[in-house]
Amino acid sequence: MARPSVEPIRRRDLVHAAIRAIHQRGSLDVTMSEIANFAGVSPALAHHYFGGKDQLIVASMRHLLTELRISVVFALRQAETPRERISAVINASLAPEQFDDETVSAWLTFYHYAQSSDDAARLLTVYFSRLKSNLAGPLRQLASTNEAMMIADGAAALIDGLYLRYGSRSGAPPRNLARQLVERYIDDTLAASAATSGLQARRDT
Amino acid sequence: MARPSVEPIRRRDLVHAAIRAIHQRGSLDVTMSEIANFAGVSPALAHHYFGGKDQLIVASMRHLLTELRISVVFALRQAETPRERISAVINASLAPEQFDDETVSAWLTFYHYAQSSDDAARLLTVYFSRLKSNLAGPLRQLASTNEAMMIADGAAALIDGLYLRYGSRSGAPPRNLARQLVERYIDDTLAASAATSGLQARRDT
Amino acid sequence: MARPSVEPIRRRDLVHAAIRAIHQRGSLDVTMSEIANFAGVSPALAHHYFGGKDQLIVASMRHLLTELRISVVFALRQAETPRERISAVINASLAPEQFDDETVSAWLTFYHYAQSSDDAARLLTVYFSRLKSNLAGPLRQLASTNEAMMIADGAAALIDGLYLRYGSRSGAPPRNLARQLVERYIDDTLAASAATSGLQARRDT
Amino acid sequence: MARPSVEPIRRRDLVHAAIRAIHQRGSLDVTMSEIANFAGVSPALAHHYFGGKDQLIVASMRHLLTELRISVVFALRQAETPRERISAVINASLAPEQFDDETVSAWLTFYHYAQSSDDAARLLTVYFSRLKSNLAGPLRQLASTNEAMMIADGAAALIDGLYLRYGSRSGAPPRNLARQLVERYIDDTLAASAATSGLQARRDT
DNA sequence: AATGAATGAGCCTTCATTCAT
DNA sequence: AATGAATGAAGGCTCATTCAT
């Protein structure tokens, strides 16, 4: 009966603390001390488990990314038609928990952080391409590959742009409107795409 | 004949230097010394003219915003139809000079900075609402007010989202594709809107 | 039949580990963790057995001193004439094992350490006086007491100086030349001493 | 009439302060704060002028080396015969000012420091070879090149060994005896060398 | 007998900011 | 108008040491 090591617990606590601390600090210039305080441990311990501030920040980023992925996967599992799968991705990406103040703050900080940290930049790239391919997959069943890629690009950018504005809390459209905007984007561009290809199809005849 | 004071020159130089420095530093943690070095003056002088680092950063942000506004105004002046005015805003917002490395870095930093600085947050709000209203204006001539607002919200978010991805240089769509995506967004949503209202119109009959 | 305690083994291992660690670190700033790692135990154990870092360092110093003493004693045992006993001391002091990289590093560190630790300083004094008296003993049989003391002082300093230069690996004479230099020092000063006292003896007549 | 910059003054003060601080701390683990306090300035200033602790330490080492070189050069200038020049080097190397407590402490620290700093190691090498060549020069006029090199090696090591013992204040011979020991070393080995070559000369006949 | 967990103290370093000149 | 000189405050990080298990 091995006593379970506390390491995973501490690591998780510290990651949570980092996210909370980032939020409280206005997402700028969090210190290790602040994070450690939030976690109820000494700054030295944070170093012990993560090796340094940067790695703790990156770990927190990875944590958020993982959570998002899990909820996307979960949502996808319950979708049946391609169109439903698209909505699943949109809903998961703009889900209420993504709009927790702390989460939003953290994402914004990570965007910025990616400018100077290779690890962070890599994680952001992973996020970008994952979002795009999650959208492109079902889209390819509803439009040509070319169209699907473009629509995916647009929808992904739209999601991020809406999120960004929300994060900057400046008269951003509320969450539900945000979702609606993306859904409409999908519908309208798909419709236009269909009309065009229909036209082309007719022309081709 | 008063000798023209050097103050405006110094201020402008420092603002430019700040933007350059932000870029070079990977947009994180610029120091006053670095900025001053870029401007070829002493750090003390930057203080003298701006009163502090924060104010210099905000001034730089304001500078970028002003430049953007000028080019939007200029583009609008040459547009004639409402649809052309929409394109003018899109083109100015995604113009080549907006994609200068330095400019992109600076914008990303400002987004982040807005999280902890009220002045910066205010400027960002100004930017957001200006972009939206620049789009909503002509849109209102092409769709219902309600629709126009929604489309403007979407288009603005799309522009920012595309810009953001570009800034994070991670397989972002190239500038021209970006513009094209926004144009299509406008076209497709307008078309859908027209169809719907047409339907409604017919129904209303 | 009491099971032999592991304590002596652990202590010995830790002392060896300390010496190795000092060498690897360039002899500066060894940490307890490093030492413990070398010994394959936890840092806490090193504390448990030695009570603190200082005491472990001093113990390591004492260990080296003991080894040196043993090999001097052993060499002396096989010498017959006074001159041979002098050579025995020289050979043992400049023996190949004294020039192991790790040993040299450790000695240099100990010299330095003696500046701030009383215990270490005491050990160094022991070493100094032991070396001197080991040389002075046989010398007294070959020259006046006065002369013997002086020659012993010189020879001891010469040995240390050669060792020091060797440790700083900077074009130092190789080990064999070092031994030869000390032997010659003994021979030449003894010869000069004999000539002088001979002269004096003759004059006295 | 340019106002003389204070930089050289501060640098000199800090170097002196470093040497004093090293002594006071028992030559182990001096902190920048201590050094700065001794110099009456803030630790930040020490960094400003030297860029870091290591560089300040190395600068202090270089300072001592320079002082020694100056006094050797000065002594050499007043020597006429080769033998006098040898004595000049010995006297300068073992001059009273070299035995200031602070100076001795600093030298010992530098020996140790050279184990982990390349710059320091290089300086030490410079010292070693300079001392040897200062001795070898005049010696070559009094003995064969081969002999001269060996004697120089021995004398240099003897000087360092004596200094080392003195620094460790453990029954070391007093300064004057130290000088005498080196002088005798020179005389006796030269005499022996002469006798041998004389013998050889005779044999050769 | 041994260690994982945890920390307090302290150090080097950076940087915005001030001020006399 | 401009700057060299100087610093206070703070942050990341290291490490010897303690203690419960």
Side-chain angles (χ1 to χ4, degrees):
Chain A
M1 269 206 325
R3 179 166 38 114
S5 116
V6 304
E7 172 157 357
I9 297 168
R10 284 284 174 275
R11 292 182 73 99
R12 196 204 49 200
D13 286 355
L14 281 165
V15 161
H16 285 155
I19 293 169
R20 246 180 304 155
I22 286 172
H23 172 61
Q24 204 207 28
R25 258 285 180 155
S27 83
L28 196 57
D29 281 332
V30 224
T31 72
M32 282 299 253
S33 294
E34 283 166 344
I35 296 175
N37 279 347
F38 268 98
V41 299
S42 73
L45 199 67
H47 275 97
H48 178 66
Y49 281 123
F50 285 92
K53 186 183 176 182
D54 287 10
Q55 282 139 293
L56 173 50
I57 298 290
V58 169
S60 307
M61 199 170 162
R62 187 172 286 128
H63 173 77
L64 250 47
L65 226 45
T66 302
E67 281 204 331
L68 175 57
R69 196 194 56 202
I70 289 173
S71 75
V72 168
V73 166
F74 181 79
L76 280 175
R77 211 172 282 157
Q78 299 177 315
E80 297 184 348
T81 68
R83 189 59 186 76
E84 277 174 22
R85 300 181 64 194
I86 296 171
S87 289
V89 174
I90 296 171
N91 283 331
S93 294
L94 298 176
E97 63 265 28
Q98 291 296 319
F99 286 83
D100 287 347
D101 276 359
E102 297 171 358
T103 306
V104 174
S105 293
W107 273 101
L108 276 174
T109 296
F110 294 155
Y111 268 103
H112 187 233
Y113 197 68
Q115 296 294 307
S116 63
S117 154
D118 283 348
D119 285 336
R122 225 167 291 135
L123 282 180
L124 213 49
T125 303
V126 167
Y127 161 72
F128 282 150
S129 50
R130 205 182 271 157
L131 176 54
K132 182 177 172 184
S133 76
N134 278 336
L135 291 165
L139 278 168
R140 248 193 303 254
Q141 306 192 291
L142 302 173
S144 71
T145 297
N146 230 2
E147 289 287 308
M149 298 311 275
M150 279 194 66
I151 301 176
D153 268 330
L158 186 51
I159 288 173
D160 290 346
L162 288 162
Y163 194 80
L164 184 69
R165 299 199 148 213
Y166 190 91
S168 307
R169 60 201 79 171
S170 320
R175 195 179 71 82
N176 274 322
L177 184 51
R179 269 172 46 209
Q180 205 180 324
L181 276 169
V182 187
E183 295 284 0
R184 276 193 53 170
Y185 174 81
I186 298 288
D187 287 337
D188 295 352
T189 49
L190 273 181
S193 166
T196 312
S197 66
L199 228 65
Q200 269 182 322
R202 225 171 302 159
R203 273 191 199 137
D204 292 354
T205 337
Chain B
M1 264 202 334
R3 182 163 40 111
S5 101
V6 301
E7 172 157 356
I9 297 169
R10 285 282 176 274
R11 292 182 72 97
R12 193 203 51 200
D13 286 355
L14 280 164
V15 161
H16 285 156
I19 292 169
R20 247 181 302 156
I22 286 173
H23 172 60
Q24 205 207 27
R25 261 285 181 154
S27 84
L28 197 56
D29 281 335
V30 224
T31 71
M32 283 297 256
S33 293
E34 283 167 343
I35 296 175
N37 278 348
F38 267 100
V41 300
S42 74
L45 198 67
H47 263 274
H48 179 66
Y49 280 123
F50 285 91
K53 185 184 179 180
D54 288 7
Q55 282 136 295
L56 172 50
I57 298 289
V58 169
S60 307
M61 199 170 161
R62 185 172 289 127
H63 173 76
L64 249 47
L65 227 46
T66 302
E67 281 203 331
L68 176 57
R69 195 194 56 201
I70 289 173
S71 75
V72 169
V73 166
F74 181 80
L76 280 176
R77 209 172 284 156
Q78 300 176 313
E80 297 184 346
T81 69
R83 189 60 186 77
E84 276 176 20
R85 299 182 65 193
I86 295 171
S87 289
V89 175
I90 296 171
N91 283 331
S93 294
L94 298 174
E97 62 265 28
Q98 290 297 318
F99 285 83
D100 288 347
D101 276 357
E102 295 170 1
T103 305
V104 175
S105 292
W107 272 101
L108 277 173
T109 295
F110 295 154
Y111 268 102
H112 187 233
Y113 197 69
Q115 296 294 306
S116 62
S117 154
D118 285 347
D119 286 337
R122 225 166 292 135
L123 282 179
L124 213 50
T125 302
V126 167
Y127 160 72
F128 282 150
S129 50
R130 203 183 271 156
L131 175 55
K132 183 177 171 184
S133 76
N134 278 336
L135 290 165
L139 277 168
R140 248 192 301 255
Q141 304 192 294
L142 302 172
S144 71
T145 298
N146 229 2
E147 288 289 307
M149 296 314 275
M150 280 195 66
I151 300 176
D153 267 331
L158 187 50
I159 288 173
D160 290 346
L162 287 163
Y163 194 79
L164 184 69
R165 299 201 147 209
Y166 191 91
S168 307
R169 61 202 77 173
S170 320
R175 195 179 71 83
N176 274 322
L177 184 51
R179 269 172 44 210
Q180 206 180 321
L181 277 168
V182 188
E183 296 282 359
R184 275 194 54 171
Y185 174 82
I186 299 288
D187 287 337
D188 295 352
T189 48
L190 274 182
S193 167
T196 310
S197 66
L199 229 63
Q200 270 182 320
R202 227 171 299 157
R203 274 195 199 132
D204 291 355
T205 335
Chain C
M1 266 204 333
R3 182 164 38 110
S5 101
V6 302
E7 172 157 356
I9 297 169
R10 285 283 175 276
R11 292 182 72 98
R12 194 204 51 200
D13 286 356
L14 280 165
V15 160
H16 285 157
I19 292 169
R20 246 181 304 155
I22 286 172
H23 172 59
Q24 205 207 27
R25 260 287 182 150
S27 84
L28 197 56
D29 281 335
V30 224
T31 72
M32 284 297 256
S33 293
E34 282 166 344
I35 295 174
N37 278 347
F38 267 100
V41 299
S42 73
L45 198 67
H47 263 275
H48 179 65
Y49 281 123
F50 286 92
K53 186 184 179 181
D54 287 8
Q55 282 134 295
L56 173 50
I57 297 289
V58 169
S60 307
M61 200 170 161
R62 185 172 289 126
H63 172 77
L64 249 47
L65 226 46
T66 303
E67 281 203 330
L68 176 57
R69 196 195 53 202
I70 289 173
S71 75
V72 169
V73 166
F74 181 80
L76 279 176
R77 210 172 283 157
Q78 298 177 315
E80 296 185 350
T81 68
R83 189 61 187 75
E84 276 174 21
R85 299 182 65 193
I86 295 172
S87 290
V89 174
I90 296 171
N91 283 331
S93 295
L94 299 175
E97 62 265 29
Q98 291 297 318
F99 285 84
D100 287 347
D101 275 358
E102 296 171 359
T103 306
V104 175
S105 293
W107 271 101
L108 277 173
T109 296
F110 295 154
Y111 267 103
H112 188 232
Y113 197 67
Q115 296 294 307
S116 62
S117 155
D118 284 348
D119 285 337
R122 224 166 292 135
L123 283 179
L124 213 49
T125 303
V126 167
Y127 159 72
F128 282 150
S129 50
R130 204 181 272 154
L131 176 54
K132 183 176 171 184
S133 76
N134 278 336
L135 291 165
L139 277 168
R140 249 193 301 254
Q141 305 193 292
L142 303 173
S144 72
T145 297
N146 228 3
E147 288 289 308
M149 297 312 276
M150 279 194 67
I151 299 177
D153 267 331
L158 186 51
I159 288 173
D160 290 345
L162 287 163
Y163 194 80
L164 184 71
R165 300 201 146 207
Y166 191 91
S168 307
R169 62 201 77 177
S170 319
R175 195 179 70 82
N176 274 322
L177 185 49
R179 269 172 45 211
Q180 206 179 321
L181 277 168
V182 187
E183 295 283 0
R184 275 194 54 171
Y185 174 81
I186 298 288
D187 286 338
D188 293 355
T189 48
L190 274 181
S193 165
T196 310
S197 65
L199 225 65
Q200 270 182 320
R202 226 172 301 157
R203 272 193 200 135
D204 291 354
T205 335
Chain D
M1 270 209 322
R3 179 166 38 114
S5 117
V6 303
E7 173 156 356
I9 297 168
R10 284 283 174 276
R11 293 182 73 98
R12 196 203 50 199
D13 286 355
L14 281 165
V15 161
H16 286 156
I19 292 169
R20 247 181 303 157
I22 286 172
H23 172 61
Q24 204 208 28
R25 258 283 180 158
S27 82
L28 196 57
D29 281 333
V30 223
T31 73
M32 282 299 253
S33 294
E34 284 166 343
I35 296 175
N37 279 346
F38 267 98
V41 299
S42 72
L45 199 67
H47 275 95
H48 178 64
Y49 281 122
F50 285 92
K53 186 184 176 182
D54 286 9
Q55 282 139 293
L56 173 51
I57 298 290
V58 169
S60 306
M61 198 170 162
R62 186 171 287 126
H63 173 76
L64 250 46
L65 225 45
T66 303
E67 282 204 329
L68 175 56
R69 195 194 55 201
I70 289 173
S71 76
V72 168
V73 166
F74 182 80
L76 279 175
R77 211 172 282 156
Q78 299 177 314
E80 296 185 348
T81 69
R83 188 61 186 77
E84 276 174 21
R85 299 181 65 194
I86 295 171
S87 290
V89 174
I90 296 171
N91 282 332
S93 294
L94 299 175
E97 63 264 29
Q98 291 297 319
F99 285 83
D100 287 347
D101 276 358
E102 297 171 358
T103 305
V104 174
S105 293
W107 272 100
L108 277 174
T109 295
F110 294 156
Y111 268 103
H112 188 232
Y113 197 68
Q115 296 294 307
S116 62
S117 155
D118 284 348
D119 284 337
R122 224 167 293 135
L123 283 180
L124 214 49
T125 302
V126 167
Y127 160 72
F128 282 150
S129 50
R130 205 181 271 156
L131 175 55
K132 183 177 171 184
S133 76
N134 279 336
L135 291 165
L139 278 168
R140 249 193 301 255
Q141 306 192 295
L142 302 172
S144 72
T145 297
N146 229 1
E147 288 288 308
M149 297 312 275
M150 278 193 66
I151 300 175
D153 267 330
L158 186 51
I159 288 172
D160 290 345
L162 287 163
Y163 194 79
L164 184 70
R165 300 200 147 211
Y166 189 91
S168 307
R169 61 201 78 170
S170 321
R175 196 179 71 83
N176 274 323
L177 184 49
R179 268 171 47 209
Q180 204 179 323
L181 277 169
V182 188
E183 295 284 1
R184 276 193 54 169
Y185 174 80
I186 298 287
D187 286 338
D188 294 352
T189 48
L190 274 181
S193 166
T196 310
S197 66
L199 227 64
Q200 269 182 323
R202 226 171 301 159
R203 271 190 200 139
D204 292 353
T205 336

